[in-house]
mmCIF file of all heavy atoms in Angstrom:
data_model
loop_
_atom_site.group_PDB
_atom_site.id
_atom_site.type_symbol
_atom_site.label_atom_id
_atom_site.label_comp_id
_atom_site.label_asym_id
_atom_site.label_seq_id
_atom_site.Cartn_x
_atom_site.Cartn_y
_atom_site.Cartn_z
ATOM 1 N N ARG A 1 116.291 -66.068 -87.883
ATOM 2 C CA ARG A 1 115.485 -65.422 -88.916
ATOM 3 C C ARG A 1 116.128 -64.189 -89.459
ATOM 4 O O ARG A 1 116.304 -63.976 -90.665
ATOM 5 C CB ARG A 1 114.061 -64.976 -88.421
ATOM 6 C CG ARG A 1 113.255 -64.339 -89.458
ATOM 7 C CD ARG A 1 111.843 -63.917 -88.955
ATOM 8 N NE ARG A 1 111.890 -63.004 -87.908
ATOM 9 C CZ ARG A 1 112.162 -61.704 -87.819
ATOM 10 N NH1 ARG A 1 112.474 -61.136 -88.985
ATOM 11 N NH2 ARG A 1 112.077 -61.021 -86.780
ATOM 12 N N GLU A 2 116.686 -63.372 -88.636
ATOM 13 C CA GLU A 2 117.387 -62.116 -89.027
ATOM 14 C C GLU A 2 118.568 -62.471 -89.857
ATOM 15 O O GLU A 2 118.836 -61.827 -90.864
ATOM 16 C CB GLU A 2 117.657 -61.200 -87.843
ATOM 17 C CG GLU A 2 116.410 -60.590 -87.242
ATOM 18 C CD GLU A 2 116.627 -59.870 -85.943
ATOM 19 O OE1 GLU A 2 117.719 -59.965 -85.314
ATOM 20 O OE2 GLU A 2 115.775 -59.159 -85.445
ATOM 21 N N GLU A 3 119.387 -63.427 -89.359
ATOM 22 C CA GLU A 3 120.575 -63.790 -90.116
ATOM 23 C C GLU A 3 120.223 -64.357 -91.498
ATOM 24 O O GLU A 3 121.041 -64.173 -92.453
ATOM 25 C CB GLU A 3 121.283 -64.861 -89.338
ATOM 26 C CG GLU A 3 122.054 -64.350 -88.085
ATOM 27 C CD GLU A 3 122.683 -65.530 -87.352
ATOM 28 O OE1 GLU A 3 122.966 -66.607 -87.930
ATOM 29 O OE2 GLU A 3 123.032 -65.287 -86.208
ATOM 30 N N SER A 4 119.046 -64.984 -91.634
ATOM 31 C CA SER A 4 118.663 -65.486 -92.962
ATOM 32 C C SER A 4 118.220 -64.492 -93.915
ATOM 33 O O SER A 4 117.912 -64.738 -95.115
ATOM 34 C CB SER A 4 117.498 -66.558 -92.746
ATOM 35 O OG SER A 4 116.359 -65.958 -92.471
ATOM 36 N N GLY A 5 117.947 -63.270 -93.336
ATOM 37 C CA GLY A 5 117.414 -62.158 -94.231
ATOM 38 C C GLY A 5 115.966 -62.274 -94.440
ATOM 39 O O GLY A 5 115.452 -61.485 -95.311
ATOM 40 N N ARG A 6 115.255 -63.072 -93.719
ATOM 41 C CA ARG A 6 113.843 -63.222 -93.954
ATOM 42 C C ARG A 6 113.099 -62.359 -92.944
ATOM 43 O O ARG A 6 113.548 -62.131 -91.824
ATOM 44 C CB ARG A 6 113.434 -64.677 -93.775
ATOM 45 C CG ARG A 6 113.952 -65.519 -94.906
ATOM 46 C CD ARG A 6 113.610 -66.982 -94.768
ATOM 47 N NE ARG A 6 114.017 -67.748 -95.959
ATOM 48 C CZ ARG A 6 115.241 -68.301 -96.155
ATOM 49 N NH1 ARG A 6 116.175 -68.071 -95.249
ATOM 50 N NH2 ARG A 6 115.532 -69.030 -97.177
ATOM 51 N N THR A 7 111.980 -61.829 -93.404
ATOM 52 C CA THR A 7 111.106 -61.081 -92.534
ATOM 53 C C THR A 7 110.078 -61.971 -91.822
ATOM 54 O O THR A 7 109.902 -63.088 -92.343
ATOM 55 C CB THR A 7 110.402 -59.950 -93.399
ATOM 56 O OG1 THR A 7 109.422 -60.684 -94.319
ATOM 57 C CG2 THR A 7 111.411 -59.092 -94.219
ATOM 58 N N GLN A 8 109.295 -61.359 -90.902
ATOM 59 C CA GLN A 8 108.194 -62.020 -90.292
ATOM 60 C C GLN A 8 107.166 -62.343 -91.369
ATOM 61 O O GLN A 8 106.540 -63.419 -91.285
ATOM 62 C CB GLN A 8 107.517 -61.200 -89.248
ATOM 63 C CG GLN A 8 108.420 -61.047 -87.917
ATOM 64 C CD GLN A 8 107.687 -60.215 -86.906
ATOM 65 O OE1 GLN A 8 106.673 -59.635 -87.109
ATOM 66 N NE2 GLN A 8 108.186 -60.241 -85.657
ATOM 67 N N GLU A 9 106.972 -61.540 -92.343
ATOM 68 C CA GLU A 9 106.029 -61.796 -93.396
ATOM 69 C C GLU A 9 106.452 -63.026 -94.216
ATOM 70 O O GLU A 9 105.638 -63.790 -94.580
ATOM 71 C CB GLU A 9 105.838 -60.499 -94.275
ATOM 72 C CG GLU A 9 104.811 -60.724 -95.333
ATOM 73 C CD GLU A 9 103.367 -60.718 -94.810
ATOM 74 O OE1 GLU A 9 103.057 -60.191 -93.790
ATOM 75 O OE2 GLU A 9 102.487 -61.467 -95.458
ATOM 76 N N ASP A 10 107.713 -63.081 -94.522
ATOM 77 C CA ASP A 10 108.225 -64.288 -95.259
ATOM 78 C C ASP A 10 107.995 -65.531 -94.513
ATOM 79 O O ASP A 10 107.563 -66.495 -95.031
ATOM 80 C CB ASP A 10 109.747 -64.112 -95.492
ATOM 81 C CG ASP A 10 110.186 -62.969 -96.350
ATOM 82 O OD1 ASP A 10 109.380 -62.550 -97.182
ATOM 83 O OD2 ASP A 10 111.329 -62.448 -96.122
ATOM 84 N N VAL A 11 108.310 -65.492 -93.168
ATOM 85 C CA VAL A 11 108.055 -66.717 -92.316
ATOM 86 C C VAL A 11 106.583 -66.980 -92.321
ATOM 87 O O VAL A 11 106.196 -68.188 -92.399
ATOM 88 C CB VAL A 11 108.662 -66.467 -90.934
ATOM 89 C CG1 VAL A 11 108.317 -67.664 -90.042
ATOM 90 C CG2 VAL A 11 110.136 -66.372 -91.008
ATOM 91 N N ALA A 12 105.684 -65.979 -92.181
ATOM 92 C CA ALA A 12 104.308 -66.266 -92.015
ATOM 93 C C ALA A 12 103.794 -66.903 -93.355
ATOM 94 O O ALA A 12 102.947 -67.898 -93.225
ATOM 95 C CB ALA A 12 103.599 -64.844 -91.843
ATOM 96 N N LYS A 13 104.190 -66.390 -94.484
ATOM 97 C CA LYS A 13 103.765 -66.998 -95.747
ATOM 98 C C LYS A 13 104.236 -68.397 -95.875
ATOM 99 O O LYS A 13 103.373 -69.308 -96.237
ATOM 100 C CB LYS A 13 104.303 -66.249 -96.913
ATOM 101 C CG LYS A 13 103.592 -64.909 -97.156
ATOM 102 C CD LYS A 13 104.173 -64.194 -98.365
ATOM 103 C CE LYS A 13 103.602 -62.765 -98.472
ATOM 104 N NZ LYS A 13 104.156 -62.008 -99.584
ATOM 105 N N ALA A 14 105.398 -68.759 -95.437
ATOM 106 C CA ALA A 14 105.908 -70.061 -95.581
ATOM 107 C C ALA A 14 105.217 -71.020 -94.580
ATOM 108 O O ALA A 14 105.091 -72.218 -94.875
ATOM 109 C CB ALA A 14 107.441 -70.134 -95.232
ATOM 110 N N MET A 15 104.722 -70.540 -93.413
ATOM 111 C CA MET A 15 104.009 -71.277 -92.450
ATOM 112 C C MET A 15 102.574 -71.265 -92.628
ATOM 113 O O MET A 15 101.815 -71.933 -91.920
ATOM 114 C CB MET A 15 104.365 -70.765 -91.044
ATOM 115 C CG MET A 15 105.784 -70.989 -90.563
ATOM 116 S SD MET A 15 106.141 -70.345 -89.001
ATOM 117 C CE MET A 15 105.181 -71.270 -87.907
ATOM 118 N N ASN A 16 102.066 -70.554 -93.590
ATOM 119 C CA ASN A 16 100.650 -70.411 -93.873
ATOM 120 C C ASN A 16 99.934 -69.805 -92.684
ATOM 121 O O ASN A 16 98.909 -70.197 -92.243
ATOM 122 C CB ASN A 16 99.929 -71.737 -94.340
ATOM 123 C CG ASN A 16 98.650 -71.540 -95.030
ATOM 124 O OD1 ASN A 16 98.428 -70.428 -95.618
ATOM 125 N ND2 ASN A 16 97.786 -72.480 -94.847
ATOM 126 N N ARG A 17 100.547 -68.743 -92.108
ATOM 127 C CA ARG A 17 100.017 -67.957 -90.958
ATOM 128 C C ARG A 17 100.094 -66.516 -91.324
ATOM 129 O O ARG A 17 100.619 -66.109 -92.346
ATOM 130 C CB ARG A 17 100.889 -68.236 -89.708
ATOM 131 C CG ARG A 17 101.060 -69.632 -89.341
ATOM 132 C CD ARG A 17 99.935 -70.038 -88.316
ATOM 133 N NE ARG A 17 100.341 -71.218 -87.639
ATOM 134 C CZ ARG A 17 99.632 -72.269 -87.732
ATOM 135 N NH1 ARG A 17 98.615 -72.324 -88.519
ATOM 136 N NH2 ARG A 17 99.955 -73.362 -87.052
ATOM 137 N N SER A 18 99.468 -65.704 -90.462
ATOM 138 C CA SER A 18 99.569 -64.224 -90.644
ATOM 139 C C SER A 18 100.894 -63.737 -90.064
ATOM 140 O O SER A 18 101.369 -64.410 -89.144
ATOM 141 C CB SER A 18 98.314 -63.620 -89.980
ATOM 142 O OG SER A 18 98.366 -63.695 -88.584
ATOM 143 N N GLN A 19 101.258 -62.558 -90.422
ATOM 144 C CA GLN A 19 102.474 -61.945 -89.865
ATOM 145 C C GLN A 19 102.213 -61.659 -88.354
ATOM 146 O O GLN A 19 103.186 -61.747 -87.597
ATOM 147 C CB GLN A 19 102.789 -60.707 -90.605
ATOM 148 C CG GLN A 19 103.986 -59.900 -90.157
ATOM 149 C CD GLN A 19 103.674 -58.891 -89.035
ATOM 150 O OE1 GLN A 19 102.611 -58.382 -89.001
ATOM 151 N NE2 GLN A 19 104.537 -58.691 -88.139
ATOM 152 N N SER A 20 100.987 -61.321 -88.026
ATOM 153 C CA SER A 20 100.793 -60.947 -86.581
ATOM 154 C C SER A 20 100.923 -62.260 -85.743
ATOM 155 O O SER A 20 101.385 -62.129 -84.512
ATOM 156 C CB SER A 20 99.331 -60.462 -86.455
ATOM 157 O OG SER A 20 98.407 -61.357 -86.692
ATOM 158 N N VAL A 21 100.641 -63.486 -86.242
ATOM 159 C CA VAL A 21 100.837 -64.640 -85.392
ATOM 160 C C VAL A 21 102.349 -64.889 -85.160
ATOM 161 O O VAL A 21 102.750 -65.172 -84.124
ATOM 162 C CB VAL A 21 100.227 -65.913 -86.156
ATOM 163 C CG1 VAL A 21 100.690 -67.225 -85.494
ATOM 164 C CG2 VAL A 21 98.711 -65.813 -86.109
ATOM 165 N N VAL A 22 103.059 -64.667 -86.211
ATOM 166 C CA VAL A 22 104.582 -64.740 -86.061
ATOM 167 C C VAL A 22 105.115 -63.761 -85.092
ATOM 168 O O VAL A 22 105.850 -64.045 -84.255
ATOM 169 C CB VAL A 22 105.336 -64.624 -87.495
ATOM 170 C CG1 VAL A 22 106.794 -64.654 -87.281
ATOM 171 C CG2 VAL A 22 104.862 -65.802 -88.426
ATOM 172 N N SER A 23 104.600 -62.507 -85.234
ATOM 173 C CA SER A 23 105.050 -61.452 -84.281
ATOM 174 C C SER A 23 104.638 -61.884 -82.879
ATOM 175 O O SER A 23 105.511 -61.671 -81.966
ATOM 176 C CB SER A 23 104.365 -60.137 -84.678
ATOM 177 O OG SER A 23 104.722 -59.203 -83.740
ATOM 178 N N LYS A 24 103.499 -62.325 -82.584
ATOM 179 C CA LYS A 24 103.015 -62.644 -81.341
ATOM 180 C C LYS A 24 103.882 -63.843 -80.769
ATOM 181 O O LYS A 24 104.229 -63.841 -79.525
ATOM 182 C CB LYS A 24 101.624 -63.057 -81.256
ATOM 183 C CG LYS A 24 100.658 -61.877 -81.337
ATOM 184 C CD LYS A 24 99.232 -62.226 -81.515
ATOM 185 C CE LYS A 24 98.362 -60.951 -81.762
ATOM 186 N NZ LYS A 24 96.952 -61.260 -81.922
ATOM 187 N N CYS A 25 104.231 -64.802 -81.641
ATOM 188 C CA CYS A 25 105.136 -65.901 -81.153
ATOM 189 C C CYS A 25 106.534 -65.357 -80.708
ATOM 190 O O CYS A 25 107.006 -65.707 -79.731
ATOM 191 C CB CYS A 25 105.287 -66.910 -82.267
ATOM 192 S SG CYS A 25 103.856 -67.958 -82.525
ATOM 193 N N GLU A 26 107.051 -64.497 -81.557
ATOM 194 C CA GLU A 26 108.403 -63.916 -81.280
ATOM 195 C C GLU A 26 108.432 -63.000 -79.977
ATOM 196 O O GLU A 26 109.415 -62.998 -79.410
ATOM 197 C CB GLU A 26 108.947 -63.196 -82.506
ATOM 198 C CG GLU A 26 109.295 -63.990 -83.728
ATOM 199 C CD GLU A 26 109.881 -63.253 -84.862
ATOM 200 O OE1 GLU A 26 110.066 -62.042 -84.765
ATOM 201 O OE2 GLU A 26 110.341 -63.981 -85.791
ATOM 202 N N LEU A 27 107.308 -62.414 -79.798
ATOM 203 C CA LEU A 27 107.229 -61.525 -78.593
ATOM 204 C C LEU A 27 106.915 -62.329 -77.338
ATOM 205 O O LEU A 27 106.951 -61.797 -76.223
ATOM 206 C CB LEU A 27 106.097 -60.467 -78.819
ATOM 207 C CG LEU A 27 106.465 -59.404 -79.831
ATOM 208 C CD1 LEU A 27 105.337 -58.528 -80.112
ATOM 209 C CD2 LEU A 27 107.630 -58.590 -79.304
ATOM 210 N N GLY A 28 106.498 -63.635 -77.534
ATOM 211 C CA GLY A 28 106.182 -64.398 -76.353
ATOM 212 C C GLY A 28 104.726 -64.221 -75.891
ATOM 213 O O GLY A 28 104.394 -64.719 -74.831
ATOM 214 N N LEU A 29 103.888 -63.587 -76.794
ATOM 215 C CA LEU A 29 102.519 -63.417 -76.494
ATOM 216 C C LEU A 29 101.664 -64.567 -76.834
ATOM 217 O O LEU A 29 100.569 -64.793 -76.497
ATOM 218 C CB LEU A 29 101.962 -62.171 -77.132
ATOM 219 C CG LEU A 29 102.712 -60.813 -76.751
ATOM 220 C CD1 LEU A 29 102.193 -59.778 -77.722
ATOM 221 C CD2 LEU A 29 102.485 -60.576 -75.334
ATOM 222 N N ARG A 30 102.190 -65.464 -77.784
ATOM 223 C CA ARG A 30 101.532 -66.613 -78.251
ATOM 224 C C ARG A 30 102.570 -67.709 -78.141
ATOM 225 O O ARG A 30 103.648 -67.664 -78.613
ATOM 226 C CB ARG A 30 101.083 -66.467 -79.686
ATOM 227 C CG ARG A 30 100.358 -67.686 -80.164
ATOM 228 C CD ARG A 30 100.006 -67.525 -81.690
ATOM 229 N NE ARG A 30 99.413 -68.659 -82.296
ATOM 230 C CZ ARG A 30 100.036 -69.780 -82.652
ATOM 231 N NH1 ARG A 30 101.311 -69.869 -82.474
ATOM 232 N NH2 ARG A 30 99.348 -70.839 -83.072
ATOM 233 N N ARG A 31 102.112 -68.799 -77.488
ATOM 234 C CA ARG A 31 103.071 -69.954 -77.328
ATOM 235 C C ARG A 31 103.313 -70.632 -78.626
ATOM 236 O O ARG A 31 102.342 -70.865 -79.423
ATOM 237 C CB ARG A 31 102.403 -70.945 -76.344
ATOM 238 C CG ARG A 31 103.272 -72.112 -76.009
ATOM 239 C CD ARG A 31 103.636 -72.079 -74.546
ATOM 240 N NE ARG A 31 104.293 -73.246 -74.235
ATOM 241 C CZ ARG A 31 105.618 -73.353 -73.892
ATOM 242 N NH1 ARG A 31 106.249 -72.196 -73.803
ATOM 243 N NH2 ARG A 31 106.240 -74.397 -73.708
ATOM 244 N N ILE A 32 104.543 -70.966 -78.899
ATOM 245 C CA ILE A 32 104.888 -71.710 -80.049
ATOM 246 C C ILE A 32 105.235 -73.210 -79.812
ATOM 247 O O ILE A 32 105.985 -73.453 -78.784
ATOM 248 C CB ILE A 32 106.030 -71.092 -80.901
ATOM 249 C CG1 ILE A 32 106.268 -71.724 -82.214
ATOM 250 C CG2 ILE A 32 107.332 -70.979 -79.973
ATOM 251 C CD1 ILE A 32 107.296 -70.883 -83.094
ATOM 252 N N ASP A 33 104.658 -74.150 -80.438
ATOM 253 C CA ASP A 33 104.834 -75.518 -80.089
ATOM 254 C C ASP A 33 105.904 -76.160 -81.016
ATOM 255 O O ASP A 33 106.486 -75.458 -81.946
ATOM 256 C CB ASP A 33 103.603 -76.406 -80.154
ATOM 257 C CG ASP A 33 102.980 -76.499 -81.607
ATOM 258 O OD1 ASP A 33 103.714 -76.469 -82.513
ATOM 259 O OD2 ASP A 33 101.737 -76.707 -81.614
ATOM 260 N N ILE A 34 106.269 -77.318 -80.777
ATOM 261 C CA ILE A 34 107.418 -78.019 -81.444
ATOM 262 C C ILE A 34 107.069 -78.087 -82.881
ATOM 263 O O ILE A 34 108.122 -78.000 -83.767
ATOM 264 C CB ILE A 34 107.821 -79.306 -80.793
ATOM 265 C CG1 ILE A 34 109.131 -79.936 -81.296
ATOM 266 C CG2 ILE A 34 106.619 -80.364 -81.031
ATOM 267 C CD1 ILE A 34 110.294 -79.186 -80.708
ATOM 268 N N VAL A 35 105.911 -78.398 -83.339
ATOM 269 C CA VAL A 35 105.634 -78.549 -84.815
ATOM 270 C C VAL A 35 105.797 -77.180 -85.411
ATOM 271 O O VAL A 35 106.349 -77.008 -86.529
ATOM 272 C CB VAL A 35 104.144 -79.040 -84.879
ATOM 273 C CG1 VAL A 35 103.693 -78.897 -86.358
ATOM 274 C CG2 VAL A 35 103.932 -80.389 -84.352
ATOM 275 N N GLU A 36 105.341 -76.101 -84.797
ATOM 276 C CA GLU A 36 105.527 -74.731 -85.378
ATOM 277 C C GLU A 36 107.046 -74.320 -85.328
ATOM 278 O O GLU A 36 107.537 -73.683 -86.322
ATOM 279 C CB GLU A 36 104.733 -73.727 -84.540
ATOM 280 C CG GLU A 36 103.271 -73.948 -84.764
ATOM 281 C CD GLU A 36 102.439 -73.029 -83.785
ATOM 282 O OE1 GLU A 36 102.799 -72.993 -82.619
ATOM 283 O OE2 GLU A 36 101.475 -72.371 -84.256
ATOM 284 N N VAL A 37 107.803 -74.716 -84.384
ATOM 285 C CA VAL A 37 109.224 -74.478 -84.338
ATOM 286 C C VAL A 37 109.866 -75.126 -85.617
ATOM 287 O O VAL A 37 110.682 -74.478 -86.286
ATOM 288 C CB VAL A 37 109.949 -74.983 -83.080
ATOM 289 C CG1 VAL A 37 111.400 -74.863 -83.249
ATOM 290 C CG2 VAL A 37 109.484 -74.168 -81.871
ATOM 291 N N ARG A 38 109.496 -76.321 -85.867
ATOM 292 C CA ARG A 38 110.011 -77.055 -87.054
ATOM 293 C C ARG A 38 109.658 -76.285 -88.342
ATOM 294 O O ARG A 38 110.411 -76.077 -89.234
ATOM 295 C CB ARG A 38 109.573 -78.460 -87.102
ATOM 296 C CG ARG A 38 110.204 -79.317 -88.208
ATOM 297 C CD ARG A 38 109.783 -80.715 -88.145
ATOM 298 N NE ARG A 38 110.347 -81.495 -89.275
ATOM 299 C CZ ARG A 38 109.727 -81.611 -90.492
ATOM 300 N NH1 ARG A 38 108.529 -81.005 -90.628
ATOM 301 N NH2 ARG A 38 110.234 -82.267 -91.504
ATOM 302 N N GLN A 39 108.366 -75.895 -88.469
ATOM 303 C CA GLN A 39 107.910 -75.147 -89.651
ATOM 304 C C GLN A 39 108.755 -73.818 -89.702
ATOM 305 O O GLN A 39 109.056 -73.410 -90.860
ATOM 306 C CB GLN A 39 106.427 -74.828 -89.458
ATOM 307 C CG GLN A 39 105.549 -76.026 -89.622
ATOM 308 C CD GLN A 39 104.089 -75.799 -89.436
ATOM 309 O OE1 GLN A 39 103.804 -74.728 -88.769
ATOM 310 N NE2 GLN A 39 103.201 -76.621 -89.695
ATOM 311 N N TYR A 40 108.916 -73.161 -88.615
ATOM 312 C CA TYR A 40 109.565 -71.879 -88.600
ATOM 313 C C TYR A 40 110.977 -72.103 -89.090
ATOM 314 O O TYR A 40 111.570 -71.283 -89.957
ATOM 315 C CB TYR A 40 109.628 -71.377 -87.158
ATOM 316 C CG TYR A 40 110.185 -69.940 -86.957
ATOM 317 C CD1 TYR A 40 109.272 -68.927 -86.647
ATOM 318 C CD2 TYR A 40 111.472 -69.713 -87.089
ATOM 319 C CE1 TYR A 40 109.670 -67.558 -86.462
ATOM 320 C CE2 TYR A 40 111.968 -68.351 -86.847
ATOM 321 C CZ TYR A 40 111.098 -67.320 -86.513
ATOM 322 O OH TYR A 40 111.501 -66.092 -86.373
#
C-alpha cells in the first residue's frame, strides 16, 4: 500500500469500508479474510 502511494483512506473508499476498519486490519486488531485481501 505504501509503495503504491495510497493511503488507508484511499483503500477504505475502494473497499467501501471506513478508514478505521482498514487501520484495525493493518494493526491486526481485526481479522482480514481472503475476500478482503483480494479487495485490498
Side-chain angles (χ1 to χ4, degrees):
R1 177 181 59 77
E2 290 172 347
E3 288 176 19
S4 76
R6 291 176 176 88
T7 64
Q8 287 182 348
E9 185 67 33
D10 296 332
V11 172
K13 284 180 185 177
M15 293 177 66
N16 199 28
R17 302 269 195 245
S18 69
Q19 179 272 330
S20 66
V21 168
V22 174
S23 175
K24 287 176 183 175
C25 289
E26 289 185 359
L27 291 170
L29 300 175
R30 180 185 179 279
R31 184 115 173 113
I32 186 167
D33 68 27
I34 193 74
V35 173
E36 291 171 316
V37 170
R38 184 174 177 272
Q39 291 172 345
Y40 190 107

